[in-house]
Amino acid sequence: MSKGKIILVDDEENVLNALIRCLRHEGHDLVSFSGPPEALEYLQDNPADLIISDHRMPVMTGIEFLIKARKLYPDMVRVLLTGYADMDVAIRAVNEGKLFRFLTKPWNDDELKITVRNAMQVKGLIDRNRELVSQVREQEGYLNALKARHPDIDRVRRDRTGAIIIDEDEV
């Protein structure tokens, strides 16, 4: 399982403490904040892999916070916690905040741990996908440069049976 940095945001200190107690033995770097403004300030210079945020907080809702955090780091995985199982909030959170999961309070510790493990796996896949896309673009650049120097390098001549024709004079 991939270990990473998790940002925890909740305006209730006892909830933050419960999240930390639940996740502290999972091997992740846990950073907690009592509100979105502090977390956003931290995120300006410190990327994270996962955010777990409460929804109902003063100053800014969890959805608003996760939308702003997503603009800073689009590949960061986002989970919203709420004590209110409101379907409209859940739909808005998933659509606007591009959430990985929506969990209700009180949460089940095992479910939270599994959610974190799955989120870290997703983050690992996102990162690996980004690496592979970068490699493909780099290789595409090499191929385009090779084609520029040798315009017909990607053409293969075949006979009517499909066999490749190699012209000995060209070799």
Side-chain angles (χ1 to χ4, degrees):
M1 177 175 72
S2 165
K3 304 298 178 189
K5 184 183 289 186
I6 301 175
I7 304 295
L8 305 170
V9 182
D10 199 300
D11 59 318
E12 296 179 45
E13 188 176 343
N14 61 338
V15 173
L16 282 176
N17 291 335
L19 287 166
I20 291 168
R21 264 193 312 279
C22 178
L23 299 173
R24 71 176 161 212
H25 297 296
E26 298 297 300
H28 303 289
D29 180 13
L30 304 174
V31 184
S32 63
F33 298 95
S34 60
E38 298 87 3
L40 285 170
E41 184 177 330
Y42 176 84
L43 284 168
Q44 290 293 327
D45 299 315
N46 301 284
D49 300 298
L50 170 64
I51 293 179
I52 300 174
S53 176
D54 184 25
H55 175 58
R56 289 198 179 174
M57 295 182 284
V59 181
M60 181 183 310
T61 68
I63 295 172
E64 292 166 338
F65 164 62
L66 293 175
I67 290 169
K68 288 181 180 194
R70 189 176 115 233
K71 289 178 182 173
L72 290 171
Y73 302 105
D75 294 341
M76 189 168 40
V77 181
R78 293 163 300 282
V79 172
L80 187 70
L81 284 174
T82 184
Y84 308 92
D86 181 346
M87 189 56 78
D88 290 335
V89 168
I91 291 169
R92 183 171 171 239
V94 170
N95 290 338
E96 295 178 32
K98 305 293 184 212
L99 289 188
F100 174 71
R101 262 320 277 284
F102 180 87
L103 296 174
T104 57
K105 293 179 188 177
W107 63 85
N108 173 291
D109 283 354
D110 290 332
E111 182 182 13
L112 179 62
K113 289 176 186 178
I114 290 168
T115 297
V116 167
R117 285 185 199 125
N118 290 341
M120 289 304 192
Q121 288 176 345
V122 166
K123 178 65 168 109
L125 291 171
I126 290 168
D127 291 346
R128 181 66 178 138
N129 184 57
R130 186 168 298 288
E131 289 172 19
L132 292 172
V133 167
S134 176
Q135 285 178 2
V136 166
R137 287 187 177 136
E138 184 179 337
Q139 291 169 353
E140 185 178 42
Y142 292 141
L143 181 59
N144 288 337
L146 190 58
K147 284 180 182 180
R149 284 192 305 263
H150 308 282
D152 291 334
I153 197 166
D154 60 341
R155 286 189 42 208
V156 177
R157 291 187 1 217
R158 297 182 183 271
D159 67 15
R160 60 185 171 81
T161 66
I164 297 173
I165 301 171
I166 299 176
D167 187 347
E168 294 296 327
D169 293 335
E170 293 179 6
V171 179

